Amino acid sequence: YRPWFRLSARRVGHLLRDGRYFFFSSIFNTLLVQGDYLVTGLFFSPDRLGAYYFAFNLSTQTSQLVSANLTSVLLPSFAKLNRQPERLQAAFIRVCSIITVVGWIFCLMQAVLAGPLLHLAFQHKWDEAVPLFQILSVGMAMVIPGSVSISMMQAQGRYPRIMIWT
């Protein structure tokens, strides 16, 4: 009987070494994602916190649509080009340019249409969230190119840098 999975000290060492960066990155990411709600809740009323929560979650939809699915494709592509630095750099710049333009178009369109769409879907229930939604939608356009950078750093095995970035 030979087990299909055999542990080796070398492999476990790599897992533990690289795994700690993923662990701390996930902690930092959780603080980043939840921290704004905690701070907003300290200084503003629950109604305003609810409006912010609603606007923020709506504003992230476009960036998730544009960048989240793309990162799962980019990581293996960048990893395959890792031994060809010139092609990797050219691909990275091309993808960043395209995703930035597409992301800006969608995020700005979302900001412009925020008021009419929220009024159409919810009448005047979320009027307080409309300006927040517009501002956050424009801000999300800044976040989109970062997902390409994360994929690039993962493909290159730069896990400490990802932790610092986060």
Side-chain angles (χ1 to χ4, degrees):
Y1 172 73
R2 282 183 63 159
W4 63 273
F5 181 78
R6 291 181 16 202
L7 289 178
S8 73
R10 186 175 58 88
R11 288 181 183 160
V12 170
H14 285 296
L15 282 175
L16 292 177
R17 185 189 51 167
D18 294 339
R20 70 180 177 209
Y21 297 118
F22 284 112
F23 175 74
F24 286 115
S25 291
S26 66
I27 288 174
F28 295 149
N29 195 36
T30 301
L31 290 173
L32 182 68
V33 169
Q34 299 299 323
D36 57 341
Y37 302 134
L38 294 172
V39 172
T40 305
L42 289 174
F43 294 105
F44 295 101
S45 70
D47 290 340
R48 286 200 174 174
L49 177 61
Y52 173 77
Y53 181 82
F54 180 74
F56 182 81
N57 282 310
L58 278 179
S59 69
T60 61
Q61 298 306 308
T62 299
S63 67
Q64 290 296 321
L65 177 71
V66 172
S67 65
N69 295 322
L70 188 62
T71 57
S72 61
V73 174
L74 289 177
L75 177 59
S77 301
F78 286 156
K80 191 170 188 171
L81 293 173
N82 213 8
R83 293 194 176 143
Q84 303 170 14
E86 297 84 21
R87 287 185 65 201
L88 179 62
Q89 181 180 6
F92 176 75
I93 291 170
R94 195 173 324 119
V95 169
C96 270
S97 300
I98 291 169
I99 198 171
T100 300
V101 169
V102 170
W104 269 96
I105 290 169
F106 282 125
C107 287
L108 292 177
M109 194 167 55
Q110 178 175 286
V112 169
L113 297 174
L117 289 177
L118 286 180
H119 289 135
L120 180 67
F122 302 104
Q123 285 78 35
H124 294 285
K125 181 178 179 181
W126 292 105
D127 282 348
E128 188 177 7
V130 171
L132 293 169
F133 183 37
Q134 291 170 327
I135 292 167
L136 291 168
S137 293
V138 172
M140 287 300 153
M142 311 283 185
V143 173
I144 290 174
S147 62
V148 179
S149 301
I150 294 290
S151 292
M152 173 77 138
M153 288 187 281
Q154 284 177 335
Q156 294 176 332
R158 296 181 179 187
Y159 305 118
R161 185 165 289 167
I162 294 170
M163 183 185 72
I164 292 168
W165 180 298
T166 304

